[in-house]
Amino acid sequence: MDGPGRTDPHGVRAEGRGGRDSGTLVSSSMASPKKKLQGLVAATITPMTEHGEINFSVIGQYVDYLVEEQGVKNIFVNGTTGEGLSLSISERRRVAEEWVTKGRNKLDQIVIHVGALSLKESQELAQHAAEIGADGIAVIAPFFLKPWNKDVLINFLKEVAAAAPALPFYYYHIPALTGVKIRAEEVLDGIQEKIPTFQGLKFSDTDLLDFGQCVDQNRQRQFAFLFGVDEQLLSALVMGATGAVGRMCCFLSSTYNYLGKKTNQMLEAFERKDFSSALNHQFCIQRFINFVVKLGFGVSQTKAIMTLVSGIPMGPPRLPLQKASREFTDNAEAKLRSLDFLSFNDLKDGNLGACS
């Protein structure tokens, strides 16, 4: 994707990731015009070593895997799946830099989650995202000292967005994690008057009434409505979702890193109005999700599955999360094989339950 020349944190002008360099700095007055964020967006995992340090060395391989094996060319960095709020500010900056660098000329859009409990830290991360050439920023509601109404929340979001006035801004709605129960429909009402760079919503909740009203009441605006509950995506597409940022409801972890290809098949079937095939793909994905949820599923288990499927070592999560058990990994592998999500030669019971 083409983009204007930008300066890195050290004042060096950087090329846009499409390879074109205009030789100018980012405008500080408005969000750069970009292609609408749509389709699948993988919420990236943060690879770590066995000692809990970030393993930057595999991110380039991770980019290639998403693009070439899963058909996913948009990413959401330092979110819940990426353990963003378990990383230090300096770590979050470096992770963002690595994804932008390795994704250049390969990924379409890189959105950096810059939410934090501290307004100043969010602003610092937002400004940094602009400096390194990210394509957008997203912000979660602060969840320790919480905003108690829409106006207070909007004021917080406005201050963060203002730190990166050249970047599209997305609100990350995830009430199960934040405990902030302000409906997304209410937040979107008049939001562009307060935040001119607002361009969309990452909706990670199962309340389809709220999501549907977000779409219905904003049809005249070119917002990106990114649904964030993987097992309900088809329902959200019917209601007007324009894309999806992977996450399983209440389990805080994205499947699009390793089920992107299957989910893209569902999106393609929906686009060509083959609703029967789309439903079959959704049911297939749900079979796997239903299975792992019963085993106990979260970021730790996502890292184990991604390591298994991609061959790229994701390592353990950072404390207080615990590493997935070997029993979980073995059971998940068996289920993936039974559903034809992994190649294999000798499934003893045939291919019962496989997804075509």
Side-chain angles (χ1 to χ4, degrees), residues 32-94:
S32 303
K34 297 178 183 296
K35 181 180 177 182
K36 184 176 180 180
L37 182 58
Q38 58 188 355
L40 286 193
V41 183
T44 56
I45 297 163
T46 299
M48 293 187 183
T49 69
E50 291 300 319
H51 301 292
E53 300 300 320
I54 298 173
N55 185 3
F56 296 99
S57 67
V58 302
I59 289 179
Q61 184 182 357
Y62 191 167
V63 169
D64 291 341
Y65 174 79
L66 288 175
V67 173
E68 297 169 10
E69 301 297 328
Q70 297 298 331
V72 176
K73 299 189 73 175
N74 303 302
I75 60 171
F76 185 89
V77 177
N78 285 336
T80 311
T81 300
E83 302 174 82
L85 289 162
S86 293
L87 308 180
S88 68
I89 295 301
S90 61
E91 286 177 323
R92 290 175 70 172
R93 288 167 61 104
R94 190 173 170 200

Side-chain angles (χ1 to χ4, degrees), residues 103-181:
R104 185 170 290 125
N105 298 319
K106 294 180 179 181
L107 297 171
D108 287 341
Q109 295 210 36
I110 299 174
V111 176
I112 309 296
H113 172 243
V114 301
L117 297 183
S118 162
L119 173 60
K120 294 299 183 182
E121 289 182 350
S122 279
Q123 290 173 320
E124 176 187 334
L125 290 167
Q127 185 174 7
H128 176 258
E131 290 171 344
I132 64 175
D135 299 295
I137 55 172
V139 175
I140 196 172
F143 54 87
F144 185 67
L145 299 176
K146 299 180 178 68
W148 61 89
N149 62 32
K150 167 192 169 177
D151 291 338
V152 175
L153 175 57
I154 291 291
N155 285 339
F156 179 89
L157 301 177
K158 177 182 177 181
E159 291 297 319
V160 179
L167 286 186
F169 179 88
Y170 302 89
Y171 172 53
Y172 180 6
H173 178 70
I174 181 169
L177 179 62
T178 63
V180 176
K181 303 299 185 181

Side-chain angles (χ1 to χ4, degrees), residues 190-315:
I191 192 170
Q192 271 194 328
E193 297 172 7
K194 300 289 183 66
I195 306 174
T197 55
F198 179 83
Q199 291 198 13
L201 170 72
K202 179 184 186 302
F203 188 95
S204 294
D205 190 27
T206 57
D207 186 347
L208 287 172
L209 172 60
D210 189 17
F211 181 75
Q213 287 303 293
C214 289
V215 177
D216 185 36
Q217 295 180 24
N218 294 280
R219 292 188 183 190
Q220 304 307 314
R221 298 175 175 86
Q222 296 300 308
F223 291 161
F225 293 105
L226 307 169
F227 195 68
V229 182
D230 302 6
E231 64 271 29
Q232 293 184 351
L233 177 55
L234 184 57
S235 299
L237 291 174
V238 173
M239 301 188 79
T242 60
V245 183
R247 191 187 76 87
M248 290 167 54
C249 176
C250 303
F251 297 96
L252 312 179
S253 208
S254 170
T255 65
Y256 301 154
N257 287 286
Y258 51 88
L259 296 184
K261 183 177 180 180
K262 174 60 66 176
T263 308
N264 271 322
Q265 290 172 348
M266 182 179 76
L267 294 179
E268 291 162 5
F270 183 81
E271 282 294 312
R272 65 175 183 266
K273 295 182 170 51
D274 183 355
F275 301 126
S276 177
S277 292
L279 186 59
N280 285 336
H281 288 307
Q282 180 73 94
F283 282 157
C284 180
I285 292 164
Q286 285 185 345
R287 287 175 208 157
F288 176 71
I289 291 175
N290 189 50
F291 179 81
V292 294
V293 163
K294 291 175 181 177
L295 297 178
F297 193 77
V299 173
S300 310
Q301 290 73 24
T302 292
K303 284 190 150 183
I305 293 172
M306 182 63 172
T307 299
L308 171 70
V309 176
S310 70
I312 305 169
M314 293 293 136

Side-chain angles (χ1 to χ4, degrees), residues 287 334-335 337-340 344 347-355:
R287 287 175 208 157
K335 189 64 174 179
R337 292 190 185 282
S338 76
L339 294 171
D340 258 356
F344 60 100
L347 183 61
K348 293 181 180 179
D349 298 323
N351 204 23
L352 297 176
C355 301

